[in-house]
Amino acid sequence: MGRLSPTDAADGLIRWQRFLDQRLNRRHDVTRSWPDFPPAGVEAMLTVELPQKWTLLDD
């Protein structure tokens, strides 16, 4: 528990880089406008009530 396989780790890094390229590293964008950040699709998450009683999981 709490460990990633090399395949899962690589997939996560590829997805993170894709996010950065689409949202922040927009060298191809000639208008140089500020991107939709944070994306409107996740804006609702800013007001989500999260549980306050967190605990650590043992291995």
Side-chain angles (χ1 to χ4, degrees):
M1 224 181 191
R3 296 175 190 223
L4 291 175
S5 70
T7 302
D8 288 340
D11 180 59
L13 291 172
I14 290 168
R15 290 171 183 259
W16 181 242
Q17 187 63 54
R18 187 178 305 136
F19 170 81
L20 291 175
D21 288 343
Q22 290 174 349
R23 296 291 174 187
L24 303 176
N25 301 333
R26 299 172 353 162
R27 291 181 289 262
H28 62 281
D29 186 357
V30 294
T31 61
R32 296 288 183 182
S33 62
W34 186 251
D36 174 29
F37 190 84
V42 298
E43 189 173 356
M45 295 175 69
L46 295 173
T47 58
V48 170
E49 300 258 345
L50 297 173
Q52 299 299 312
K53 295 182 179 180
W54 295 97
T55 59
L56 295 176
L57 299 175
D58 293 328
D59 288 289

